[in-house]
Amino acid sequence: MKLANVAWGWTPIPEDMPEGDSLIKIASEIRALGFEGVDYLGTPEALDHFFTKEAANALGEHSRAIGLEPNVFVFQEAGWNDPDSARNADCLAHFEKAAETAVNIGCKIVSTLVPLPFGAKAWHFNPAAPAIKQSYRMPAGYCYKKDWETLMESYRKCLAIAKKHGLRMSVECFPGSIISTPHAMLKLLEDVNDPDFGIQLDTNHLVAQHIDPEWSIYVLGGEHIFNVHCKDCDAVSRSNIPAGCGITDYTAVIEALKKVGYKGNLSVELEFTDNPRRYNKQALDHLKLCLAGEY
């Protein structure tokens, strides 16, 4: 298993628009820490205005020249269950751009996000007012079956685009999304039913829901996990912290991945940090110890 890093953890927010050679500089920073792989991300805006073929080719060439292997290109979009045909068409058109960008960079996987139930409003916790009641505030007439079928149809169309470009496709399942648990992921895999479609697993997203990552790996199986985001969580108040700083047992996670035949990377993902060099290095060092069986 290679140790990789996500480029979007080096910007104030993941959706920040790249400028000039900013991603090339980030790739150099990542490689200088000792990572061997890298994942990149693009929003619809970035795909429209930054990721030209020339820019993507240059990024991929620089990455490989310094010993950094591009693996996943993430399309930052969650509109896949929107029933509006124009919105759906726009998402698919940008997914095509994302697939083209992935190929131009040299990534092997194009990934995207799992949305909330359509029309739901996300929970907003206020530590100063812990008694505030939480609910999705579901829209009138909500139909889960229709929501699920819309999502599956979108993902099948995305997968066809990915395969056309010689790529595999994965989706990342967030806490509170329509697919947040291992069993929901299994239902997704069953309904799409294609070996080139898999899960972008995130240890933090599982631990934040008090779901054990080690067990989840056995539930899903190595052939269905395409990439693993290693970011930690204390399961109480802090998520998105360096591997080793929360309660995730990465030695157990790595052992489970080996036993199910996982062939992908361990990708350190840390977002919204004021010191990405410090915290990515901290996570990298911990994962090296876990891989070596020394922790």
Side-chain angles (χ1 to χ4, degrees):
M1 277 176 263
K2 283 185 177 179
L3 290 168
N5 196 198
V6 305
W8 59 89
W10 291 74
T11 56
I13 61 171
E15 295 82 8
D16 272 5
M17 184 75 169
E19 295 181 357
D21 62 353
S22 62
L23 287 179
I24 286 177
K25 289 179 178 177
I26 287 171
S28 296
E29 293 264 22
I30 289 171
R31 183 60 183 137
L33 289 182
F35 289 102
E36 296 179 300
V38 62
D39 300 335
Y40 294 109
L41 177 149
T43 62
E45 180 187 13
L47 289 166
D48 287 340
H49 301 293
F50 177 81
F51 284 108
T52 63
K53 182 177 182 179
E54 294 73 21
N57 283 339
L59 180 58
E61 289 168 4
H62 174 76
S63 300
R64 286 183 292 275
I66 60 175
L68 203 57
E69 186 64 29
N71 186 39
V72 180
F73 186 84
V74 176
F75 175 39
Q76 191 81 342
E77 176 59 71
W80 303 112
N81 57 340
D82 193 321
D84 181 77
S85 58
R87 171 87 166 102
N88 188 261
D90 182 71
C91 289
L92 289 170
H94 279 97
F95 189 86
E96 179 99 44
K97 288 186 177 183
E100 292 169 354
T101 299
V103 170
N104 291 333
I105 293 173
C107 296
K108 306 173 187 68
I109 300 166
V110 60
S111 189
T112 193
L113 313 182
V114 172
L116 291 174
F118 184 74
K121 306 299 181 185
W123 288 16
H124 292 288
F125 289 106
N126 181 353
I132 291 176
K133 306 304 181 186
Q134 298 291 343
S135 165
Y136 274 157
R137 310 290 194 266
M138 298 303 299
Y142 175 79
C143 176
Y144 168 75
K145 184 177 180 180
K146 181 179 179 182
D147 201 14
W148 182 267
E149 289 173 350
T150 300
L151 183 62
M152 293 305 102
E153 183 179 359
S154 292
Y155 283 161
R156 292 186 192 105
K157 289 177 180 178
C158 287
L159 177 60
I161 292 169
K163 289 168 75 80
K164 180 179 72 174
H165 290 280
L167 300 166
R168 296 193 297 164
M169 176 186 168
S170 66
V171 295
E172 184 164 1
C173 307
F174 291 82
S177 71
I178 196 170
I179 306 167
S180 64
T181 67
H183 292 95
M185 296 177 204
L186 284 179
K187 174 62 174 169
L188 164 68
L189 293 165
E190 177 185 333
D191 284 8
V192 176
N193 191 28
D194 192 294
D196 289 324
F197 182 88
I199 300 298
Q200 163 62 71
L201 199 68
D202 188 302
T203 55
N204 166 70
H205 294 164
L206 294 167
V207 173
Q209 301 176 87
H210 296 255
I211 298 172
D212 186 80
E214 179 189 14
W215 172 74
S216 301
I217 289 163
Y218 285 108
V219 171
L220 294 170
E223 71 275 19
H224 294 135
I225 302 171
F226 285 4
N227 195 42
V228 177
H229 281 166
C230 296
K231 66 173 180 275
D232 217 337
C233 177
D234 67 8
V236 180
S237 63
R238 296 188 307 150
S239 59
N240 195 44
I241 53 180
C245 294
I247 66 171
T248 306
D249 187 339
Y250 282 102
T251 298
V253 165
I254 289 166
E255 186 63 22
L257 289 168
K258 289 178 179 177
K259 286 183 177 178
V260 300
Y262 175 66
K263 305 297 184 186
N265 291 348
L266 297 174
S267 192
V268 170
E269 182 186 32
L270 292 166
E271 301 161 313
F272 313 109
T273 172
D274 61 349
N275 197 334
R277 186 177 296 103
R278 173 184 178 179
Y279 297 119
N280 280 294
K281 178 67 162 58
Q282 187 175 4
L284 175 65
D285 290 344
H286 180 72
L287 291 173
K288 282 181 176 179
L289 289 174
C290 294
L291 277 168
E294 296 176 4
Y295 183 86

